[in-house]
Amino acid sequence: MTDNAKFQVPGKDGEYPVLEGSVGPKVVDIRKFYADTGMFTYDPGFTSTASCDSGLTYIDGGEGVLLHRGYPIGQLAEQSSFMEVAYLLLNKELPSKDELDKFMWTITRHTMVHEQLATFFRGFRRDAHPMAIMCGAVGAMSAFYHDSTDITDPQQRMIASHRLIAKMPTIAAMAYKYSIGQPFLYPDNDLSYTGNFLRMTFGVPAEKYEVDPVIEKALDRIFILHADHEQNASTSTVRLAGSSGANPFACIAAGIACLWGPAHGGANEAALNMLREIGTPERIPEYIARAKNKDDPFRLMGFGHRVYKNYDPRATVMQQTVREVFKAMDVKDPVFDVALQLEEIALNDDYFVEKKLFPNVDFYSGVVLSAIGFPTAMFTALFALARTVGWVAQWNEMISDPAQKIGRPRQLYTGPTQRDYVALDKR
Ligand code: CMC
């Protein structure tokens, strides 16, 4: 039993219940704060605010811990598959062999997109960013799958979730194919989720495509590492959009839009571009100096995290994956040396040490995705593909919660107070 938290505000004292989760910081329940005191709390960026309760993902940023339904990310990345993690996030428990087979069969049966959706792609410019196409194509899915947009029906919610997970690789691969002027490939349901995506991306109809098992495994692991990450900006966007009762396809399109930003999912693209711009280890000090200069807006992309103030556990797995892929593909890319040396220099620099700025998952994911053959513009689209699992699981959790309400933050108003309108000829 935890004592209530006591607040003293001018002219009013209040007591508020303290809630305890299964692990992690306690939470003061301030839902009645405004009604009691007439005041709002102020927390831009939600650095101290829990917006929901959730049983999906736990992060201890100080300790560098990331758990999905209790399982450490390192164990999942090493021992499970992306489909298992998807099942786990959606259904709370790891699947039995039969449950996994059935789940994979279901996902496989939804991999094709409506044929008319393909015509949407042809309306985009060839040089459109894949994330621009993803926002549009995923949002447009609401116009095609009407039989899974009744959010009050759990069965329809699950069908929509399966459709989104299954069709995202097809849509991402189509965005890529369109950008290089090659024909779209239909899914091949004999392949794994990740193998199918590789084929739709890198295969051509004129030739048989052999999936390389090392690449397949590495990409599957990257998908696992990006599957969910608690109440980050894009997940909160999906929840906020969904809180109004919007359909799941529209909500996930909103999540994709938010993920695109360079401070979030766009960081892997920005990190690789930065490593290529640095080019050689000799130029690293110049960039470190820029990152430390208060008058320079430049930040070391792939460093720092809102929550992890210790090593990002996903970055550890990713660093290992880079080595495996480089060895298997015999890649010799100077960008990897730049990355390794930049990491070492930054980790020993007082500025980065004091501010607890460690490499995050994106620091290495760009390097490995580039080695596999993905252009930088596709990196965030791959992140969106993987994160769709987390988004739909979080969205389902929210909609099934009887305490769920439309999200409606408050504000500290700093604009003009009431004044009278002045006619145009008097201004
Ligand atoms: N390079 C240089 N300085 C930095 C960096 C960086 N990458 N990140 C933070 N700082 C400094 C920042 O200038 C500030 O300094 P001061 O206290 O003197 O003003 C201090 O560290 C704290 O920064 P903050 O912006 O208050 O921290 P935050 O928790 O709000 O920001 C972040 C987190 C991820 C937005 C930020 O670290 C950043 O912009 N990193 C680069 C972009 C990046 O790699 N993003 C990927 C995040 S991981 C993928 C995901 O989960 O979405």
Side-chain angles (χ1 to χ4, degrees), residues 42 87 89 96 114 174 209 216 230 244 251 283 344 351 394 408:
Y42 183 62
Y87 183 98
L89 287 170
S96 66
H114 193 289
M174 287 167 88
Y209 180 81
E216 185 182 17
E230 209 226 64
S244 71
C251 296
R283 294 190 64 202
E344 197 180 323
Y351 174 93
Q394 299 262 2
R408 178 57 171 92

XYZ file of all heavy atoms in Angstrom, residues 42 87 89 96 114 174 209 216 230 244 251 283 344 351 394 408:
150
model
N 1.659 21.155 -16.008
C 2.366 21.627 -17.207
C 3.516 20.668 -17.477
O 4.406 20.512 -16.640
C 2.897 23.030 -16.931
C 3.593 23.695 -18.103
C 2.911 23.965 -19.286
C 4.929 24.070 -18.011
C 3.539 24.590 -20.341
C 5.563 24.695 -19.068
C 4.867 24.953 -20.234
O 5.487 25.568 -21.289
N 3.043 -12.000 -32.480
C 1.995 -12.754 -31.788
C 2.000 -12.398 -30.300
O 0.958 -12.165 -29.687
C 2.237 -14.263 -31.982
C 1.155 -15.115 -31.365
C 0.113 -15.625 -32.140
C 1.158 -15.403 -30.002
C -0.895 -16.385 -31.569
C 0.153 -16.150 -29.417
C -0.870 -16.649 -30.210
O -1.875 -17.389 -29.640
N 3.083 -9.680 -28.792
C 2.592 -8.330 -28.502
C 1.070 -8.258 -28.641
O 0.398 -7.650 -27.828
C 3.267 -7.312 -29.428
C 4.741 -7.040 -29.085
C 5.420 -6.227 -30.184
C 4.887 -6.316 -27.751
N 2.296 -21.226 -28.923
C 2.744 -22.613 -29.068
C 3.081 -22.798 -30.549
O 2.765 -21.934 -31.375
C 1.623 -23.576 -28.658
O 0.554 -23.441 -29.585
N -5.282 -4.846 -52.376
C -6.315 -4.694 -53.387
C -5.648 -4.196 -54.679
O -4.839 -3.263 -54.649
C -7.345 -3.676 -52.888
C -8.606 -3.660 -53.677
N -8.667 -3.167 -54.954
C -9.858 -4.081 -53.372
C -9.905 -3.273 -55.407
N -10.650 -3.834 -54.457
N 6.451 -2.045 -52.667
C 5.897 -1.354 -53.850
C 6.422 0.079 -53.929
O 6.740 0.578 -55.017
C 4.361 -1.366 -53.802
C 3.753 -2.721 -54.098
S 1.992 -2.778 -53.670
C 1.248 -2.198 -55.191
N 14.265 -15.548 -57.399
C 15.005 -14.869 -56.330
C 15.289 -15.857 -55.207
O 14.381 -16.512 -54.704
C 14.180 -13.690 -55.795
C 14.876 -12.944 -54.682
C 15.854 -11.998 -54.968
C 14.562 -13.198 -53.343
C 16.507 -11.313 -53.942
C 15.205 -12.510 -52.319
C 16.179 -11.569 -52.629
O 16.823 -10.911 -51.615
N 18.144 -12.715 -44.352
C 16.771 -12.906 -43.873
C 16.739 -12.841 -42.339
O 15.908 -12.171 -41.737
C 16.271 -14.276 -44.365
C 14.832 -14.575 -44.053
C 14.448 -15.986 -44.537
O 15.354 -16.812 -44.809
O 13.245 -16.254 -44.626
N 7.091 1.140 -26.334
C 6.327 1.829 -25.303
C 5.662 3.093 -25.872
O 5.325 3.102 -27.050
C 7.343 2.102 -24.165
C 6.839 2.182 -22.790
C 7.461 3.398 -22.143
O 7.206 4.525 -22.586
O 8.214 3.199 -21.151
N -10.211 8.952 -30.704
C -11.442 9.594 -31.186
C -12.355 8.586 -31.879
O -13.440 8.932 -32.329
C -11.093 10.708 -32.170
O -10.622 10.139 -33.386
N -5.365 5.570 -38.298
C -4.501 5.759 -37.116
C -3.057 5.380 -37.433
O -2.119 6.076 -37.029
C -4.981 4.899 -35.952
S -6.600 5.364 -35.371
N 37.947 13.032 -39.956
C 37.047 14.184 -39.867
C 36.120 14.111 -38.649
O 35.325 15.026 -38.406
C 36.207 14.278 -41.150
C 37.058 14.597 -42.359
C 36.204 14.923 -43.555
N 35.402 16.126 -43.353
C 34.293 16.409 -44.028
N 33.843 15.574 -44.924
N 33.624 17.517 -43.807
N 33.487 5.255 -30.347
C 34.510 5.204 -29.306
C 34.887 6.616 -28.837
O 34.982 6.880 -27.636
C 35.750 4.481 -29.840
C 36.638 4.039 -28.705
C 37.875 3.325 -29.224
O 37.751 2.598 -30.223
O 38.943 3.518 -28.620
N 31.540 15.702 -22.820
C 30.214 16.229 -23.160
C 29.197 15.093 -23.252
O 28.122 15.143 -22.653
C 30.296 16.980 -24.499
C 28.970 17.459 -25.051
C 28.501 18.733 -24.775
C 28.190 16.636 -25.876
C 27.297 19.187 -25.295
C 26.980 17.078 -26.393
C 26.538 18.356 -26.099
O 25.338 18.783 -26.622
N -0.799 -1.756 -29.424
C -1.107 -0.663 -28.482
C -2.522 -0.124 -28.754
O -3.272 0.184 -27.829
C -0.086 0.469 -28.650
C 1.341 0.070 -28.366
C 1.810 0.435 -26.967
O 1.054 0.966 -26.154
N 3.053 0.131 -26.673
N -7.167 14.525 -24.787
C -7.410 15.970 -24.922
C -6.489 16.717 -23.956
O -6.884 17.038 -22.842
C -8.885 16.258 -24.610
C -9.299 17.721 -24.652
C -8.979 18.330 -26.005
N -9.544 19.661 -26.164
C -8.878 20.787 -25.859
N -7.653 20.741 -25.337
N -9.450 21.960 -26.069
